[in-house]
Amino acid sequence: MPDEVKGMIVKAFIVLAEGYEPSDELATEIRGHVRSRLSAYAYPRQIAFVDDLPKTLTGKIRRMELREASRA
């Protein structure tokens, strides 16, 4: 994602498993978990909970569609 201060930031698109509901607390917990395992610049600054990820016919995630949707 473009960012005015940092230039670019990481945004995570997450499909939740059954039994989980999107919330700010869950997003904070996910950020903390990932931050403890990755470099400070690589953890997601933004988290979007989605129902489904756009995929190609072969099952690969269509990242370009996610980028375009987040800009709109």
Side-chain angles (χ1 to χ4, degrees):
M1 289 284 307
D3 184 70
E4 293 177 11
V5 177
K6 298 183 186 284
M8 296 293 280
I9 60 169
V10 177
K11 180 174 183 176
F13 294 89
I14 299 175
V15 178
L16 294 175
E18 277 189 49
Y20 289 92
E21 293 294 324
S23 68
D24 291 337
E25 294 82 22
L26 181 58
T28 302
E29 186 178 330
I30 291 169
R31 259 189 228 101
H33 177 77
V34 174
R35 191 172 190 180
S36 70
R37 287 166 171 67
L38 297 178
S39 300
Y41 68 88
Y43 83 94
R45 300 290 199 280
Q46 294 182 5
I47 293 180
F49 296 107
V50 294
D51 295 329
D52 195 19
L53 295 171
K55 295 182 182 176
T56 64
L57 294 175
T58 59
K60 294 181 181 179
I61 296 173
R62 300 180 80 169
R63 294 183 183 128
M64 190 60 129
E65 284 186 30
L66 293 172
R67 285 186 202 113
E68 289 172 3
S70 65
R71 288 184 187 144

